[in-house]
Structure formats: C-alpha cells, structure tokens
C-alpha cells in the first residue's frame, strides 16, 4: 500500500523502496501524501509530490508538517524556492498577490520559517509574507530592478564590456527579486546589457587573457589558506614550508627536554644520547592508523602532517598499524591503508605493526607490575568508564599477586571482562588508572592464537614510539588528554621518551566519517561500499576521480593550525578543479543524446577532426575524433522555439559545432507519435563563409555507449550527526537525489583505451573519471566535479 502511495507521487520504485527502509521518513511522507490526497484527490502531480517528499525529508519538527502540507495542497506553496530556498523552475504561474509586495532580501523559506518558530501557533500572515505565498513579481518590477543594478555598474560595464562578470549583475538583481523566476531575470539582464553595449565585437569574443601559471609540484608550491575558527586567510606558504618549523615551534631531535611539560628523570640525558646515536639526529615521525576501516579525508591531513613534516626536515616516517584490537581488523583494511598512503605520494620508511612488539610490551608490563606501577583489577568496564571513576579496591594488591593473576590472564584463566591490567596514574581529564591490557579470546591476524590478552592504545602507543625512536609523535587534539600518560609510562619504565604534539583535526561538512556510521550506510543500502563516490573516504575520493594532488593541496590550504578546522566540501572540489584543469585531457560526451543528420555532409565518409588535448596549450598534443553525417548533441542544446537569451540551436538560429569548422542550420524536426523530438535534419556551412553563430556546442559521432553517474551531497544538512539539526539521526538525512545514473550516454571514441581512474574533462559538462565497473563495450564514468562551482552551494 505504501509503495503504491509513494510511486503515485512520482517517486521511482527504487526510490520508494529506499524511502520505505527509512521508517521515520516513510511515516511522515505517508501522512503528508494522505493529507494532500484528501484535499486534491488521489491523483497528485509530480511537482506536488516532490514538494511533499522534500517537506517530509527536511522538516526537523514533524508537528508543523500538516501546516506545510496544507499550503502545498492548496497550491499556495508551488516551488522548492518557497519551500526550502532552493532555486528550481516554477511549475506554473504564481497567483495574484493577496498582500502588498514586500519581501526582504534575505527572507527565509517555509521550512526555515517553521524551524525558527517552534512554538505554536504560527503567525499565518508573517509566514506567508516570509515565504512568498501569493506574491507576484511583475515584468515591470524585474525590469526596474535589473535597470538599477546595471546603472550601478554602468561605468565598469562600458569599460570591460562583455568581459564584465555578468554573474554579479544576476546575483544583485536576484537579491532584490526574492521570488522571481531566475530565467526571466537572466533574460532581462541579457536584454538590457545588449541594449547598453550593442552586439559583441571581435574584441568581446576574444578570451580574456589569463595570467600564465607555472606548473607546480604537488603540495610543494601551492598557496595555502590557513583555517582558524572557520575563517579562511590567504597565506603564501606551502604545507612543507609550514612544516619546516616556522609555523610550529617543535623541538629539535635530542632536545625533547626543552618541551613544556616534558618530565626529566635522572636517566633522561643518557637515554637521549643513546637515541641520537641510533638516529643520527634525524627527524622521525609515524602514521599509526587502526586497520579497522578505510581512511577518510581527516586521515589525509594526518598523512600529510606526519609524512610531510619528516620530508620537510630531511627525516623519515613509519607506517605503523595499531593492530591491538583483533575483533575489528581485516586484511583488506591493511592493504587499503598502505595503498592510500602511497596514492597520496608518500613512501613509508618502514611498515611496522604494534603486534611486532607484543613480546616486548608484555615483558614491560611485567616490569611495570614489579615496580608497583600496575595491578590486576576486576572492576567491570561500566564501573571504570567516564571521568573520576571510583578507585579500584584492588589498587594496592601485592605485586606478587598481580604478577600471578596477570600470568593467569595470559593463560586464558579469566573470561573477557573479568580482569584487566591497570596503570597507577591519574590523567589530565580526570581519568584514573587507564587499562593497559584486557582479555580477548579472538585470534589475531598476525599472531594467531598466541595471545588472549591485548594491550590498549594508552599502553601501546608511547612504547611503540619509544622502540622506533620517534622524535615527534604528531596526533590530533583529542589525544591531548593522553599526553601525561604518554610521558608517565615511558618514564615509569625508564625508556626513551619521545614528545607528543597535537594539531587541529580536519572535519568536513555534509558527511559522516565514523567507521560505525559508514558501516550502517553500507548495511542499509544507502551506499554501495566504503568506496562509494558519495563518501569522503580516500578510496571513495579516488574512485570519484579526485587526484591525490588535489587532496594534498586541500590539506595545505587548511594549513598547520591547532584549532579544529571544519570545511565545506566545495573547497575540496575547488582544489580538484585546479589540478584537473592541468591534468585532464578534453573529450566530448553527450548525456542526453539527440540524433542529428547532416543532409549535405561534405564528404562520402567520415572525416577526422583534430581536437586539442588541452586547448590552452596545444603543445600538449591532439586527438582525432570522427565527424560523420550522423552526430548526436545534447537534447538541451535544441529548442523548437528560442526564448530571449537562448543561444543554442533552434529553427532559424544556427550553431557552430566545436572543433569542426562547420555551422549547422535546422531544416526539419522529426518527432515520434507522442510529439517528442527524436531527430533533426540539418545542413552545414563552413564557418569561414557563414555569419558567426551565437554559440558553439559539443557533439559526438560514431560514439561509444557509456554509463555516467552524477553525484550530489549524500546528506541534506551540514551536520547530519547533530541531533539538534537532524533529530531523526543521520540515516534520516539522506539526500534522495545524491546519485543520478545516465544509462545511455555517448562519448567520443578518443577515450576507448582509457583505464579505471583515468580522468577527462568532458567539454561543457565537467570532470569525469573512469569507474572500475567499466567493462568491454560499456564504459562507466563518475562525475568528479562540475566545471564551475555550483553557486547554490553554501
């Protein structure tokens, strides 16, 4: 019943089934649809259905759902612009106004209004005014607003002419015309600019000269923007320059004792001397991931920080797997972690495992007990959780007794949770006596059944750093509370003590990176796997087509800062565009093909057209593309009737075909029985003897069939894990339009030999990468990013 209800409002069967898996969303949507049907009847048009879905999916507090559905059902809220502030085409004319025209430039849409007015009842008049109910923007108002904006910039327009940023005019006009149709505003802007400047001259058609860019080595020479408290400030320092010790006042190797808080013992100087003899004064860092999941964008900063600091200072970096929890570790994670480190351009000095040192760690645990600094405890896990737990009644048990009991733990005489080994210290955050060892009857992937006790992070990490003679133990800010235990344990055992330094964690909006939550997304079918291109794991970013240099440059722009950085995804996308513009050769593809037959094709067989791989630098070569009597163009590049401002193909309005030197003119429009245009018959003319067309469009001929996957954000809200923003939990915040698959796209034959992860710029469409799902006869492409940033994104 519910499946039929949802497909009845225009959802595909797959989307309807996906919605049914989300209990909270499906209950709200069912309620909304039934309410709307009681007002409008059983047949709801797709536009109304879309609004109902968006209202149910995005509304935090369901108590106002009926209120909004009433406006949707009465056709008083007609567009997603009114509902959520998203600019979408208006499905029908806006009714005549019931109130005087007055909309503030930053008026909230309906969803935002009810969120910000949680107390009932709502002020109906204020609500309607705030979300444009009944407002009608007249053509005269649009004309006056655009005229005012153009007059404001008249002097610059007359100087820069068509090189002026027309998007600025659109933006300012749009801010004054909150509820007007964007296309109508654009047409008016184009018309008034044409009236002011006249037709484009040859000079106007020339590309604006670009400042030459030297090709830069990844990370080394990029400008960076340091992020502190969410603000971006430009700083002309590369990440390596930042890590050479200028931005962070790290100690020099062997001068650990100069660090604030470092504990100096009678043996410290002798241990440091021995350490220097082993390392030769070389900087040593380590990247220590847990092999229980795939690395994400936050780890990219850690990789750059650890490997980058070592590289910048002539040192080395270990890749050390923190494999102390065999229950959650799998071989695929070990492999993927190393792949991602190397993909980002770093080679570990050595690949080690915490398990390499299990024998030494156990020996040291015995020594810690003998020194009276550790004891076997029987408190339950829940009893010692949190801050300021009660002291253990076994804290002062005799050393010999703890030694015997610890041996019993190793021999498997205690069940899981019945006994732990705890260290005698209080940490900065009030945590008392952290656990050093616990019982786990799980075979280890490397040591098999040798151990049934495993060390914890608090015990293992600093001692592994000591064994490997790490000079700078770099970790994120949340480990600051472990610094005291780090120093304490090394000194309690009288071993070399490295220095722990903390830096700000990198977070990204509109995503989740928790391993547990990604597993839930996979289990519920919201994503395919850890490498689903909608995620921000490193394997997912690679699959989507992000170059490793872009990720490294993004980390450089975040900068070296102690403050936590929470970034917008579009900043990462901007880094991808910069790199792909230099790396991705051009090709032509058509997502929604429309067949075009050239009736006067100038040759008996296909011609070969030379297309530059990089139009801005033709020295980087060309590729050949067949040009045949039959070509395919985008459906959206043809209209039977050309509106004002429409510059592409229409009857009586020719266009040029990119790279061919020909212009085509429509002669005949062929339709199927339903009236849909299925083919065009055109004639072609050499461009050097024809009038210059308004536009040049891309095309394909003798193409390859392909599938194209277009991605949007996986979540609707910036912080899907925040219960105040998403009360229903992150699974209730999934964007229903995060993936659109185009099954019958066409691409030119120049990409025939491409392999998975090869990257291209499809002219006018964006940057695309070959997906590993590609097979003989059917290539699959993922859209990495569009050519330009979507202005609608935050």
């Amino acid at each position: 019943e519910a499946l039929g209800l949802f497909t009845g409002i225009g959802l595909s069967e797959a989307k309807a089934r996906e919605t049914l898996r989300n209990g909270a969303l499906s209950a709200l949507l069912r309620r909304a649809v039934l309410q709307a049907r009681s007002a409008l009847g059983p047949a709801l048009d797709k536009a109304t259905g879309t609004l109902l879905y968006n209202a149910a999916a995005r509304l935090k507090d369901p108590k106002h759902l009926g209120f909004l559905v009433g406006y949707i059902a009465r056709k008083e809220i007609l567009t997603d612009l009114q509902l959520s502030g998203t600019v979408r085409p208006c499905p029908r004319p806006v009714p005549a106004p019931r109130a005087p025209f007055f909309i503030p430039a930053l008026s909230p849409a309906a969803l935002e209004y009810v969120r910000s007015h949680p107390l009932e009842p709502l002020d109906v008049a204020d609500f309607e005014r705030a979300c444009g109910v009944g407002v009608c923007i007249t053509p005269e108002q649009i004309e006056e607003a655009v005229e005012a904006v153009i007059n404001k910039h008249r002097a610059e327009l007359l100087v820069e002419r068509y090189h002026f940023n027309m998007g600025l005019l659109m933006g300012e006009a749009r801010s004054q015309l909150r509820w007007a149709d964007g296309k109508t505003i654009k047409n008016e802007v184009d018309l008034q600019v044409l009236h002011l400047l006249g037709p484009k001259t040859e000079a106007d058609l020339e590309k604006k000269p670009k400042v030459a860019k030297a090709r830069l080595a990844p990370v080394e020479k990029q400008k960076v923007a340091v992020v502190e408290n969410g603000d971006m400030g430009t700083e002309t320092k590369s990440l390596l320059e930042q890590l050479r010790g200028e931005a962070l006042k790290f100690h020099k190797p062997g001068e650990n004792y100069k660090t604030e808080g470092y504990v100096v013992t009678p043996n410290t100087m002798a241990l440091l001397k021995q350490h220097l003899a082993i390392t030769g004064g070389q900087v040593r860092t380590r990247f220590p991931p847990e092999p229980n999941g795939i690395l994400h964008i936050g780890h990219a900063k850690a990789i750059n920080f650890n490997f980058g600091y070592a590289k910048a200072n002539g040192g080395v970096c270990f890749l050390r797997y923190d494999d102390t929890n065999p229950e959650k570790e799998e071989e695929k994670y070990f492999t993927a972690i190393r792949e991602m480190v190397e993909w980002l351009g770093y080679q570990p000095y050595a690949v080690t495992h915490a398990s390499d040192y299990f024998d030494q760690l156990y020996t040291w645990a015995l020594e810690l007990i003998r020194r009276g600094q550790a004891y076997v405890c029987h408190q339950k896990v829940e009893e010692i959780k949190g801050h300021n737990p009660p002291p253990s009644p076994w804290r002062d048990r005799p050393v010999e007794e703890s030694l015997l009991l610890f041996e019993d733990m190793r021999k498997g005489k205690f069940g899981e949770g019945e006994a732990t080994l705890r260290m005698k210290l209080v940490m900065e955050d009030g945590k008392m006596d952290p656990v050093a060892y616990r019982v786990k009857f799980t075979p280890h992937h490397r040591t098999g059944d040798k151990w049934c006790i495993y060390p914890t992070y608090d015990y293992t990490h600093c001692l592994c750093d000591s064994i490997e003679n790490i000079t700078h133990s770099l970790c994120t800010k949340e480990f600051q509370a472990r610094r005291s235990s780090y120093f304490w344990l090394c000194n309690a055992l009288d071993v070399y003590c490295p220095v722990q330094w903390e830096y700000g964690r990198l977070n990204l909006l509109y995503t989740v990176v928790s391993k547990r939550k990604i597993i839930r997304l996979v289990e519920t079918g919201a994503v395919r796997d850890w490498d689903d291109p909608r995620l921000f794991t490193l394997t997912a970013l690679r699959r989507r087509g992000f170059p490793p240099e872009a990720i490294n440059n993004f980390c450089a722009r975040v900068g070296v800062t102690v403050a936590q950085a929470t970034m917008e995804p579009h900043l990462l996308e901007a880094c991808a565009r910069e790199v792909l513009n230099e790396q991705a050769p051009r090709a032509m593809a058509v997502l929604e093909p429309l067949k075009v037959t050239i009736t006067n094709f100038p040759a008996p067989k296909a011609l070969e057209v030379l297309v530059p791989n990089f139009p801005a630098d033709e020295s980087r070569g060309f590729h050949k593309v067949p040009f045949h009597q039959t070509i395919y163009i985008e459906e959206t590049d043809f209209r039977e009737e050309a509106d004002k401002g429409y510059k592409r193909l229409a009857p009586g309005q020719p266009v040029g075909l990119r790279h061919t030197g020909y212009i085509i003119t429509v002669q005949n429009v062929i339709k199927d029985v339903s009236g849909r245009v299925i083919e065009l018959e055109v004639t072609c003319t050499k461009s050097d003897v024809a009038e210059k067309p308004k536009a040049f469009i891309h095309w394909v001929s003798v193409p390859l069939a392909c599938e194209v996957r277009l991605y949007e954000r996986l979540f609707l809200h910036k912080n899907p894990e925040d219960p105040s923003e998403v009360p229903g939990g992150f699974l209730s915040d999934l964007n229903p339009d995060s993936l659109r698959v185009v099954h019958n796209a066409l691409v030119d034959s120049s990409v025939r030999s491409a392999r998975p992860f090869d990257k291209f710029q499809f002219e006018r469409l964006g940057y695309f990468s070959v997906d590993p799902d590609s097979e003989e006869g059917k290539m699959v492409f993922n859209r990495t990013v569009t050519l330009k940033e979507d202005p609608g994104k935050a």
Side-chain angles (χ1 to χ4, degrees):
E1 179 267 340
L3 183 65
L5 201 66
F6 295 168
T7 55
I9 63 168
L11 294 186
S12 67
E13 185 171 334
K15 180 57 64 181
R17 291 188 184 280
E18 180 185 318
T19 302
L20 285 171
R21 287 197 292 270
N22 184 332
L25 173 58
S26 58
L28 290 177
L29 182 58
R30 185 177 185 277
R31 192 171 113 195
V33 174
L34 291 175
Q35 180 184 337
R37 284 176 63 170
S38 68
L40 298 174
L44 298 178
D45 61 85
K46 188 171 182 179
T48 301
T50 300
L51 291 173
L52 294 173
Y53 185 94
N54 289 340
R58 300 176 187 173
L59 189 60
K60 282 185 184 179
D61 189 348
K63 70 183 178 185
H64 288 311
L65 180 65
F67 179 80
L68 289 181
V69 171
Y71 275 88
I72 294 170
R74 293 193 299 273
K75 304 291 184 180
E76 293 176 320
I77 289 180
L78 291 160
T79 67
D80 207 48
L81 176 61
Q82 289 177 282
L83 180 67
S84 61
T86 305
V87 179
R88 300 268 176 90
C90 184
R92 54 179 285 178
V94 177
R98 297 185 304 181
F101 172 69
F102 172 74
I103 299 295
L106 296 176
S107 300
L111 284 170
E112 185 58 37
Y113 186 93
V114 297
R115 286 182 191 130
S116 59
H117 295 74
L119 301 177
E120 295 186 67
L122 294 173
D123 184 328
V124 172
D126 190 43
F127 168 81
E128 292 182 353
R129 184 167 57 252
C131 54
V133 173
V135 170
C136 178
I137 310 291
T138 66
E140 291 78 14
Q141 288 170 320
I142 294 175
E143 184 179 344
E144 289 171 7
V146 170
E147 185 178 355
V149 171
I150 287 180
N151 284 338
K152 176 183 173 184
H153 297 282
R154 185 183 184 88
E156 300 115 294
L157 274 164
L158 290 171
V159 173
E160 296 186 33
R161 292 183 56 78
Y162 287 97
H163 288 144
F164 184 82
N165 178 11
M166 301 302 172
L168 179 63
L169 305 180
M170 270 294 296
E172 291 189 12
R174 193 104 178 94
S175 69
Q176 296 179 37
L177 302 164
R178 178 75 168 90
W179 308 111
D181 178 57
K183 290 181 179 177
T184 306
I185 296 176
K186 185 180 186 309
N187 290 340
E188 185 62 33
V189 169
D190 290 344
L191 187 65
Q192 291 200 31
V193 168
L194 180 64
H195 181 73
L196 175 65
L197 303 179
K200 288 184 178 180
T201 64
E202 287 296 324
D204 293 327
L205 292 171
E206 288 179 9
K207 286 187 177 179
K208 196 171 184 178
K210 291 183 179 178
V211 178
K213 283 185 182 177
R215 292 226 187 122
L216 304 176
V219 179
E220 290 276 5
K221 300 176 184 177
Q222 295 294 319
K223 285 190 177 183
V224 303
V226 178
V227 180
E228 291 185 333
N229 302 322
D231 295 327
M232 301 273 297
T234 302
E235 182 181 321
T236 55
K237 283 187 178 180
S238 74
L239 182 63
L240 292 189
E241 286 171 332
Q242 296 175 66
L243 291 170
R244 284 191 180 108
E246 293 301 316
L248 294 174
K249 303 300 180 184
F250 288 164
H251 67 281
K252 293 178 182 178
E255 296 185 354
N256 305 28
Y257 60 90
K258 293 184 178 181
T259 305
E260 184 180 353
Y262 193 82
V263 179
V264 177
T265 71
N267 288 329
T268 294
M269 301 314 292
L271 289 168
L272 288 175
K273 184 177 179 181
Q274 183 183 11
H275 158 74
L276 285 174
I278 294 170
T279 66
Q282 184 182 50
V283 166
R284 288 190 169 202
T285 62
R286 82 291 166 270
F287 173 57
E290 294 180 73
N292 61 357
I294 299 295
L295 303 182
H296 55 71
I297 188 66
H299 291 112
K301 180 179 179 182
I303 291 169
N304 273 279
F305 208 27
N306 282 284
F307 283 90
Y309 183 72
K311 180 180 178 181
N313 293 279
V316 297
C317 183
F318 292 72
L319 169 59
R320 184 206 306 146
Y321 295 107
D322 181 20
D323 57 343
T324 58
N325 191 358
E327 292 173 329
K328 298 181 179 179
E329 294 159 4
E330 295 183 42
E331 185 58 37
K332 67 177 182 179
Y333 298 138
F334 287 85
T335 303
I337 286 170
R338 182 165 184 173
E339 277 183 4
M340 290 301 97
V341 168
E342 293 177 349
W343 178 63
L344 289 177
Y346 296 107
Q347 283 295 327
Y349 169 71
V351 177
T352 61
H353 305 73
S355 57
D356 295 339
Y357 311 120
F358 276 179
D359 288 320
Q360 178 63 68
L361 294 173
Y362 178 73
T363 299
W364 274 338
L366 294 174
E367 180 62 23
L368 202 63
I369 297 171
R370 292 189 190 103
R371 295 185 179 206
Q373 301 288 8
Y375 62 95
V376 173
C377 175
H378 305 288
Q379 283 180 296
K380 303 298 181 187
V381 174
E382 54 271 17
E383 294 180 71
I384 60 176
K385 271 186 176 178
H387 303 310
N388 302 312
S392 169
W394 294 279
R395 196 171 199 263
D396 296 318
R397 77 187 329 160
V399 167
E400 290 304 320
E401 186 178 335
S402 281
L403 285 170
L404 290 171
L405 291 171
F406 190 50
E407 179 67 11
D408 287 345
M409 286 173 61
R410 189 183 70 80
K411 290 179 178 178
K413 293 183 179 181
F414 287 102
E416 293 189 10
E418 290 182 358
T420 59
L421 182 69
R422 295 175 68 183
M423 299 177 281
K424 288 186 180 179
L425 80 152
V426 178
M427 298 164 70
E428 294 102 321
D429 61 354
K431 183 178 179 183
M432 185 175 183
D433 294 359
V435 172
Y437 272 86
R438 70 278 204 217
V439 177
K440 284 184 180 290
F441 292 106
T442 305
H444 192 277
H445 71 289
R446 297 186 74 243
T447 60
D449 293 324
K450 179 177 178 179
W451 300 94
C452 65
I453 56 171
Y454 293 99
T456 62
Y457 175 91
D458 286 323
Y459 179 77
T460 306
H461 190 65
C462 62
L463 296 180
C464 288
D465 282 351
S466 179
I467 292 169
E468 293 176 350
N469 277 284
I470 300 303
T471 58
H472 300 79
S473 181
L474 308 174
C475 58
T476 48
K477 195 73 173 171
E478 65 264 32
F479 290 99
Q480 186 169 357
R482 258 96 160 183
R483 192 189 276 205
S484 63
S485 70
Y486 187 104
F487 291 157
W488 177 90
L489 184 52
C490 289
N491 290 326
L493 288 168
D494 236 359
V495 298
Y496 162 70
C497 183
V499 178
Q500 175 175 304
W501 291 95
E502 302 87 17
Y503 58 89
R505 187 185 181 101
L506 170 60
N507 295 318
L508 212 61
L509 298 172
Y510 294 102
T511 191
V512 297
V513 293
S514 154
K515 299 178 181 80
R516 180 176 57 82
K517 289 176 180 175
I518 291 176
I519 288 171
R520 288 285 293 129
L521 290 170
V522 174
E523 289 173 345
T524 58
V527 298
R528 290 175 55 179
D529 209 337
W530 289 82
D531 65 348
D532 187 297
R534 290 167 289 182
L535 296 173
F536 284 89
T537 61
L538 294 184
T539 51
L541 290 170
R542 178 179 63 171
R543 184 166 190 167
R544 184 158 170 172
F546 279 78
E549 299 90 335
I551 295 171
N552 292 341
N553 293 348
F554 176 64
C555 293
R557 291 189 177 188
V558 172
V560 179
T561 170
V562 176
Q564 177 171 294
T566 301
M567 310 296 293
E568 293 275 357
H570 69 77
L571 298 171
L572 174 60
E573 292 168 3
C575 292
R577 289 187 187 93
E578 289 175 7
V579 175
L580 289 170
N581 187 51
E582 294 292 321
Q583 290 186 357
R586 278 39 169 182
M588 291 190 288
V590 171
L591 301 189
E592 297 176 342
L594 174 60
K595 183 179 178 182
V596 176
T597 301
I598 304 173
T599 58
N600 65 335
F601 193 72
K605 60 179 183 178
L607 302 173
E608 280 191 338
V609 174
L610 280 180
V611 178
N613 295 327
F614 296 88
D617 183 1
E618 294 189 354
S619 68
R620 299 177 70 183
F622 293 78
H623 60 272
K624 294 178 180 179
V625 173
F627 177 39
H628 190 261
Q629 178 183 16
T630 300
I631 65 171
Y632 297 87
I633 67 172
E634 293 283 0
E635 277 190 349
T636 53
D637 279 344
F638 170 74
R639 287 186 190 173
E640 289 190 80
E641 294 184 11
D643 299 336
K644 286 181 182 178
Y646 182 74
K647 296 179 180 179
R648 283 164 275 175
L649 186 61
Q653 182 167 293
V655 295
L657 298 177
R658 291 175 70 82
H659 310 297
T660 65
Y662 283 94
I663 293 167
I664 58 173
T665 305
V666 176
Q667 302 298 326
N668 188 28
V669 179
I670 301 170
K671 302 180 180 181
D672 61 16
V673 292
S674 68
R676 179 173 172 268
V677 176
I678 57 171
E679 185 179 351
L680 303 176
E681 290 180 345
V682 304
T683 55
C684 68
T685 310
K686 290 284 287 182
S687 57
D688 55 4
V689 297
E691 184 180 342
K692 192 174 183 69
K694 291 183 177 181
F696 288 81
I697 63 173
H698 65 281
W699 53 276
V700 293
S701 185
V702 197
L704 306 175
C706 66
E707 177 182 300
V708 174
R709 298 169 182 172
L710 306 174
Y711 300 98
E712 299 294 342
R713 290 172 179 156
L714 183 59
F715 295 99
L716 297 169
H717 290 85
K718 285 188 174 185
N719 301 292
E721 298 171 276
D722 184 350
S724 66
E725 196 168 332
V726 185
F730 72 102
L731 288 176
S732 71
D733 196 46
L734 293 169
N735 177 9
D737 302 317
S738 62
L739 169 61
R740 181 167 75 90
V741 180
V742 181
H743 294 284
N744 299 308
L746 302 173
V747 63
D748 73 49
S749 56
S750 68
V751 306
R752 185 186 301 275
S753 60
R755 294 291 177 261
F757 308 119
D758 285 353
K759 297 161 183 58
F760 300 92
Q761 183 195 113
F762 289 167
E763 296 196 26
R764 298 175 63 217
L765 298 179
Y767 295 101
F768 292 77
S769 178
V770 181
D771 188 86
D773 285 346
S774 297
E775 54 189 34
E776 191 68 33
K778 189 62 176 286
M779 300 187 77
V780 178
F781 290 91
N782 296 316
R783 184 173 68 189
T784 308
V785 288
T786 54
L787 289 178
K788 295 181 180 179
E789 182 185 332
D790 182 352
K793 288 184 179 179

